[in-house]
Amino acid sequence: MSNPDKLYIFDTTLRDGEQSPGASMTKEEKLRIAKALEKMRVDVIEAGFPIASSGDFDAVQTIARTIKDSTVCGLARALEGDIDRAGEALRDANSGRIHTFIATSPIHMEKKLNMTPDQVVEQAVWAVKRARKYTDNVEFSPEDAGRSDLDFLCRVIEQAIAAGATTINVPDTVGYNLPEQFANTIGTLMERIPNSDKAVFSVHCHNDLGLAVANSLAAVSRGARQVECTINGLGERAGNASLEEVVMAVRTRQDHFTCDTDLDTTQIVTCSRLVSGITGFPVQPNKAIVGANAFAHESGIHQDGVLKNRETYEIMRAEDVGWTENRMVMGKHSGRNAFRTRLEELGITFESEEEINDAFRRFKDLADKKHEIFDEDLQALVSDAGFRAENERVKLVSLRVCSETGEVPNAHVVLSVDDREVSGDSSGSGPVDAAFKAIESMIQSGAELQLYSVNAITSGTDAQGEVTVRLRKSGSIVNGQGADTDIVIASAKAYVNAVNKLNQGQRAHPQGVQV
Ligand code: KIV
Ligand code: ZN
C-alpha cells in the first residue's frame, strides 16, 4: 500500500456529477474539466461510464489519451461487456483504473439484481479478475454499502481484495448514514478484514441528508485514505461530497487529521467556475469555499476585526483557494500575448492557434462593448466559445428585438441550420419570450422549457449576463448556456445551445440497469 499519510482525491464530477439531471457534458467540455483537474493535481479522474453510450466511450478514451499526471478511471458494472468496454477506453492511458461495482444491500440484491448474496460475491470476484486482465489498478465498490450487512461486506470485500482489487470504495449510495456510524463501518471493515492492508480504503458519500462531507471526513479520521468527491458537490440527486470542502477541511485542520492531499488548492475557484459555467448549475453565494460570499465580511465588527488581524474571523486565506481580486485585467488596447498570458494564469489553455485567434476576436468584440474586462469576463468568454461546439447544427446568426412601453415585444431571429440560413418572427410577453418563440417557430424542437436563469458575471450595468436554459424532451434534460453583454442575445445563445445538446444521443444510467 502506498504512503499512508497521503489522502487520495478521486474526482467523479465527470461521472457521478454528470448524473445530475441536466448536467450532461460534451466530450470537449469534459476534456476541459479533466485538464483543470489534472492541473489541480487530483489523483484520480473518473472520466465516465464507457458502456453508457458511444459518446461516453469516446470521452473516456480521449481523456485517457490526453491526461498524463492523473490516473484516469472508467466505471463498469460487474459485467463482461462493461468491463471490456472500460478496458478498451482506457487502453492508451498513462495510468488507467477500472472501477467495477455490484450492489450488496439486501434491498438492492433482492429487488434490483434478483441475486442471492453468494451469487453477488461470485460475480464481484469474477468482475475484479476480469478487470485485472486490463490493468493492475482495479477499484471495487459494494454499491449501497451504507445499508449493507457488515458481516456480508467483510466477506465480499475480503474476496475482492484477494481477487486483485487495489482500492476498496465504500459508497453510501443513498446518503443514509450518520458520521459516527459511517466512521465505525470504515474502522470495523479495516480492522476485521484480514487482507485490508493490501488495499486503499475509499469512501463515496451522497448528500441526501446534507452529510456527505461530514461522513467522508469522519471516515478519513478512521483510516480511509481516498475520498470520492465532485467539484461544487455536483452529483446524483442532492449530490456527492464536495471536493473543495473535503480538501480544505483536511488542509485547514491539520491539527486533527494525520493525512493531507497533494492538491494545488489555488486552482479550486477556477475549477468551480469552469464546472458551474459548463453545467449551468450556479454556485450559491453562501457555499463554503467557492461561494461569492465565502470570504466576504458584511458586518462592521467583522470587517474591523479582519483589518486588525485577518485570523479574527478567517480560518483560511481566500488566495489559497484561488480567489483573486476582482481586478480589471484588460481593455480594448490589450494585445494578443497579454490575453493569452492572463488566460494561462487562469488555467485556460488552447488546443490550436485557430482557437486562440477565435477567442481573441471575441475578446476584442467584448472590449468594444465593455470598458473593463475582468477575470470573470475572460472565463465566461472562453466558456461561451466552448459552448458553441464546432459540430453544432443550429447556430445563432442574428437577432433583433423590439420592446416598447405599451407595445407587445417582438423578435426577428436568423439561424443557420445545417449551414442554411432561416429566419423567424414572433411576439411574446417579453423580448426573451419573443426570441425563444421565434427560434421555436423555425426549429420546432417541441421541448419544454424547465428553467431560465440569468446571472450577472461582474458588477455594473455593462456586465455580461450568463444565461442558463434547461430544456426537457422525451426524458432527456439538457442545460444550455450563453453569455453576452446583451441578455436577450445571451438568452438566445443559451436556447440554441440547449437545442443542440438535445440533438445529441441518449446515455444509459450506470445504476439503472440490472445485472
Ligand atoms: O453512489 C454509488 O454507489 C456510486 C457507485 C457506482 C460507486 O456512484
Ligand atoms: Zn454515487
Side-chain angles (χ1 to χ4, degrees):
M1 205 177 88
S2 20
N3 180 8
D5 296 319
K6 170 165 167 156
L7 178 62
Y8 291 86
I9 293 295
F10 176 114
D11 180 280
T12 183
T13 308
L14 302 178
R15 198 279 298 168
D16 218 324
E18 207 200 16
Q19 282 172 223
S20 287
S24 63
M25 307 170 217
T26 63
K27 180 175 85 179
E28 290 74 23
E29 290 168 341
K30 284 186 155 197
L31 188 58
R32 283 171 49 221
I33 293 175
K35 284 182 184 170
L37 294 173
E38 180 185 38
K39 185 156 189 219
M40 189 159 64
R41 297 204 290 264
V42 156
D43 299 289
V44 187
I45 299 171
E46 189 164 51
F49 177 45
I51 194 83
S53 68
S54 57
D56 259 43
F57 177 88
D58 218 20
V60 176
Q61 186 175 61
T62 305
I63 291 168
R65 287 177 174 166
T66 312
I67 297 299
K68 297 288 172 247
D69 296 336
S70 307
T71 294
V72 178
C73 176
L75 182 70
R77 289 164 299 180
L79 293 175
E80 186 170 342
D82 283 41
I83 294 168
D84 291 354
R85 199 80 175 126
E88 206 184 322
L90 295 167
R91 200 181 45 215
D92 300 330
N94 196 26
S95 164
R97 172 182 297 184
I98 296 179
H99 174 192
T100 185
F101 72 98
I102 189 164
T104 50
S105 62
I107 184 167
H108 276 232
M109 289 191 289
E110 189 192 325
K111 304 282 183 224
K112 182 175 99 164
L113 302 178
N114 196 19
M115 287 169 84
T116 63
D118 285 350
Q119 286 172 323
V120 166
V121 174
E122 197 185 319
Q123 187 83 17
V125 166
W126 177 88
V128 170
K129 287 188 177 156
R130 180 93 194 170
R132 285 291 303 236
K133 288 190 194 301
Y134 293 96
T135 170
D136 54 14
N137 191 343
V138 173
E139 172 169 324
F140 171 72
S141 290
E143 189 196 359
D144 204 15
R147 292 189 298 170
S148 300
D149 173 73
L150 208 50
D151 289 338
F152 182 59
L153 273 183
C154 287
R155 183 175 150 214
V156 71
I157 291 173
E158 180 182 349
Q159 297 214 28
I161 296 174
T166 45
T167 301
I168 294 296
N169 179 47
V170 182
D172 183 19
T173 304
V174 291
Y176 178 70
N177 279 238
L178 302 173
E180 204 184 331
Q181 173 195 10
F182 194 59
N184 280 338
T185 300
I186 298 300
T188 308
L189 291 175
M190 292 183 70
E191 279 153 27
R192 280 196 11 206
I193 295 171
N195 54 3
S196 65
D197 60 323
K198 303 280 184 307
V200 172
F201 272 68
S202 166
V203 288
H204 175 113
C205 297
H206 279 272
N207 207 30
D208 300 68
L209 292 174
L211 292 170
V213 170
N215 286 344
S216 305
L217 294 175
V220 171
S221 300
R222 286 294 297 269
R225 284 297 175 264
Q226 175 178 283
V227 173
E228 303 202 351
C229 44
T230 57
I231 302 289
N232 300 337
L234 198 69
E236 185 87 44
R237 303 181 312 279
N240 290 61
S242 132
L243 177 145
E244 56 278 7
E245 292 175 21
V246 169
V247 168
M248 289 315 293
V250 172
R251 182 71 48 94
T252 305
R253 296 302 308 271
Q254 280 293 296
D255 59 320
H256 171 81
F257 291 101
T258 55
C259 56
D260 197 5
T261 70
D262 282 345
L263 252 68
D264 174 1
T265 59
T266 63
Q267 297 301 314
I268 284 178
V269 168
T270 301
C271 283
S272 164
R273 285 196 182 136
L274 184 64
V275 169
S276 164
I278 285 176
T279 58
F281 282 49
V283 174
Q284 74 196 54
N286 58 331
K287 164 87 173 67
I289 321 291
V290 292
N293 290 352
F295 291 89
H297 298 278
E298 175 66 20
S299 108
I301 298 172
H302 287 202
Q303 285 173 353
D304 182 55
V306 170
L307 286 175
K308 287 181 177 140
N309 182 333
R310 189 188 57 80
E311 289 179 14
T312 51
Y313 286 101
E314 280 185 8
I315 57 165
M316 295 167 275
R317 297 189 321 160
E319 54 272 36
D320 289 346
V321 297
W323 284 106
T324 51
E325 294 278 294
N326 196 7
R327 61 194 170 103
M328 202 271 283
V329 286
M330 294 191 191
K332 78 197 266 181
H333 300 296
S334 305
R336 201 167 167 284
N337 269 344
F339 174 72
R340 174 191 248 176
T341 307
R342 186 62 198 147
L343 285 179
E344 275 169 9
E345 283 165 6
L346 292 171
I348 300 163
T349 49
F350 293 94
E351 294 294 304
S352 65
E353 284 301 303
E354 208 180 299
E355 271 188 24
I356 301 178
N357 293 342
D358 184 48
F360 188 59
R361 185 182 48 68
R362 296 161 57 78
F363 162 70
K364 286 288 180 186
D365 287 348
L366 180 63
D368 274 340
K369 294 189 236 162
K370 192 171 187 288
H371 193 52
E372 298 174 313
I373 310 263
F374 298 95
D375 286 344
E376 289 84 345
D377 289 311
L378 292 180
Q379 278 160 330
L381 181 126
V382 176
S383 301
D384 193 53
F387 300 149
R388 325 254 92 73
E390 269 164 36
N391 52 3
E392 284 193 338
R393 290 181 54 206
V394 185
K395 297 187 176 87
L396 178 70
V397 178
S398 67
L399 164 69
R400 192 178 66 232
V401 285
C402 184
S403 176
E404 193 182 335
T405 322
E407 297 294 326
V408 178
N410 59 67
H412 174 78
V413 180
V414 182
L415 297 178
S416 156
V417 181
D418 293 331
D419 296 325
R420 201 172 56 84
E421 279 197 8
V422 282
S423 65
D425 293 86
S426 179
S427 55
S429 54
V432 172
D433 187 46
F436 286 4
K437 284 180 173 147
I439 295 171
E440 267 303 310
S441 73
M442 291 177 271
I443 54 167
Q444 293 175 358
S445 75
E448 173 203 341
L449 179 67
Q450 289 209 310
L451 175 130
Y452 169 73
S453 81
V454 188
N455 177 33
I457 293 172
T458 55
S459 53
T461 48
D462 67 347
Q464 289 195 87
E466 197 169 39
V467 174
T468 301
V469 163
R470 182 178 297 165
L471 296 181
R472 179 194 183 104
K473 189 182 174 189
S474 327
S476 257
I477 300 174
V478 293
N479 279 328
Q481 285 84 37
D484 202 282
T485 50
D486 180 321
I487 60 161
V488 185
I489 296 178
S491 304
K493 283 181 178 177
Y495 196 94
V496 167
N497 181 235
V499 166
N500 279 306
K501 285 187 174 175
L502 268 185
N503 288 335
Q504 289 158 9
Q506 292 256 20
R507 312 157 52 242
H509 188 290
Q511 285 144 314
V513 193
Q514 308 226 335
V515 170

